[in-house]
Amino acid sequence: MNAREPGPLDSFVREFGALVDRGADEAAIFREGRALLAGLIAQDGWLPQALLEPDPDSYRIHRLHVDPAGRFSVSAMVWGPGQGTPIHDHTVWGMVGVLRGRERCEEFGHLLEPGGPLVAGDVHELAPGDIDLVSPSIGDIHRVSNALPDGTSVSIHVYGGDIGVIHRSRYDEAGKATPFVSPYAACLVPVPAS
Ligand code: FE
């Protein structure tokens, strides 16, 4: 696909924007927006090759689109073998859809109250086409890693804000929170609808 031609990401951003324009609440985002994300990750070949390449040092987050009003963002995360996030939260709703490879998700919750010790929850793997949901209302703390020992995994993320600048927290195993911002990777590749 020529990067200058409208592609699946353009359609997704337009339709997701219309959903947000309509004033969709979190439940509607998780119902209708999830269906839009499922449609996007059902297609492959629309991300420029340069954005599919893992960095040998760390997972990368590529900014694909940030709503001009900051109401949502779309990003791509690329994981090399053995790479993963710290335990972290998001502070906004989020949807994670796997495009390629396989991702492992470990959920955590506060044992008693916000700010208290963490307790481990469900552990599961996501295959291409699978979508995970996070938000402060349904569970917002997890750790994500590449489940492939020798391959690259790629996921498409949609958040209720500009995830590259949101101030949030990462946690140690004991639940101690540390301020955390996960900036976008430097990206010199034009992406449709960005
Ligand atoms: Fe996350």
Side-chain angles (χ1 to χ4, degrees):
M1 189 185 74
N2 186 314
R4 294 180 183 171
E5 295 174 357
L9 181 63
D10 301 82
S11 303
F12 174 82
V13 165
R14 186 178 64 250
E15 293 172 25
F16 204 94
L19 180 61
V20 174
D21 284 344
R22 228 179 59 205
D25 61 11
E26 184 175 297
I29 293 284
F30 282 164
R31 186 176 60 251
E32 299 174 49
R34 178 185 186 147
L36 294 174
L37 179 59
L40 179 63
I41 62 175
Q43 307 169 75
D44 202 344
W46 53 270
L47 264 184
Q49 184 59 35
L51 302 188
L52 295 163
E53 302 288 347
D55 183 309
D57 295 329
S58 175
Y59 67 91
R60 289 200 285 201
I61 309 175
H62 295 293
R63 176 193 194 274
L64 299 183
H65 176 81
V66 176
D67 173 59
R71 300 169 300 175
F72 69 98
S73 64
V74 188
S75 51
M77 290 189 71
V78 182
W79 317 78
Q83 294 178 347
T85 68
I87 302 170
H88 64 275
D89 63 17
H90 311 82
T91 76
V92 293
W93 59 256
M95 300 189 290
V96 177
V98 173
L99 183 70
R100 293 185 182 184
R102 197 168 181 89
E103 292 184 7
R104 173 183 167 89
C105 178
E106 302 164 78
E107 297 177 351
F108 295 85
H110 288 290
L111 184 57
L112 298 173
E113 58 192 355
L118 290 180
V119 58
D122 185 55
V123 180
H124 55 275
E125 291 193 1
L126 304 176
D130 289 343
I131 294 175
D132 243 3
L133 307 177
V134 294
S135 93
S137 68
I138 63 169
D140 195 36
I141 302 176
H142 66 181
R143 176 166 56 195
V144 182
S145 55
N146 186 359
L148 297 182
D150 54 4
T152 300
S153 293
V154 181
S155 50
I156 305 302
H157 298 228
V158 188
Y159 294 101
D162 185 351
I163 200 65
V165 302
I166 288 175
H167 289 259
R168 45 200 179 119
S169 297
R170 59 183 166 84
Y171 300 86
D172 65 16
E173 296 280 350
K176 180 175 179 295
T178 301
F180 172 64
V181 175
S182 189
Y184 298 117
C187 174
L188 303 176
V189 179
V191 181
S194 62

